[in-house]
Amino acid sequence: MERRQDVVLGLVLAALGGFAGLEASGYRGASGHYPLALGIVLATLGLALAVRAAVRGSRKPRPLAIHAPRLIGTSAMGAAYLALVPVLGFYTASALAVATMPVALGLRRPVLVALGTVIFTAAVWLVFSMVLNKPLPPEIWFRPG
């Protein structure tokens, strides 16, 4: 059971990564490099998972989700994040998601949450604004009145 679950998951991830890479290869100019790289990485890791599971995976059954409430909560927070990006702006919604997700999952160290939020937001800003020079949904306070 466990082997089959991991093989299927690996193949699904590989297919998603391949699809993302294929879609990104059609983008004009340099705008497709980052999503293409992410697609290739996802496809490679998915294939590695499938191969590893096929070669030496366990045959013991296991539950699909070890902690279903956390899985459902994380999925709901991901959906909320996607809904908030156009409303609040990319950086604000991302910082909010990065700050609340660990707390919702049980992390109780405010300094680590704050540090992770600042580092993540700065890294995303560097990649998208400075390196790729790609516009993101504008922040709510920078929009024309």
Side-chain angles (χ1 to χ4, degrees), residues 103 106-114:
V103 174
L107 183 62
R108 301 290 183 249
R109 293 187 170 162
V111 171
L112 289 180
V113 171

Side-chain angles (χ1 to χ4, degrees), residues 5-6 8 18 57 62 66-67 71 73 78 109 114 120 129 131 139:
Q5 288 172 330
D6 287 347
V8 169
R62 71 169 185 225
I66 295 171
H67 199 290
L71 175 65
R109 293 187 170 162
F120 174 81
S129 295
V131 176
E139 299 306 301

Side-chain angles (χ1 to χ4, degrees), residues 63-80:
L64 183 59
I66 295 171
H67 199 290
R70 285 188 178 172
L71 175 65
I72 293 167
T74 302
S75 299
M77 291 180 78

Side-chain angles (χ1 to χ4, degrees), residues 63-142:
L64 183 59
I66 295 171
H67 199 290
R70 285 188 178 172
L71 175 65
I72 293 167
T74 302
S75 299
M77 291 180 78
Y81 165 70
L82 292 175
L84 286 175
V85 168
V87 175
L88 298 178
F90 183 80
Y91 297 113
T92 303
S94 297
L96 186 61
V98 170
T100 57
M101 184 82 67
V103 174
L105 294 175
L107 183 62
R108 301 290 183 249
R109 293 187 170 162
V111 171
L112 289 180
V113 171
L115 184 61
T117 301
V118 168
I119 290 172
F120 174 81
T121 305
V124 168
W125 177 77
L126 274 172
V127 168
F128 284 101
S129 295
M130 304 317 279
V131 176
L132 297 175
N133 198 24
K134 292 294 163 202
L136 295 169
E139 299 306 301
I140 192 168
W141 51 80
F142 291 139

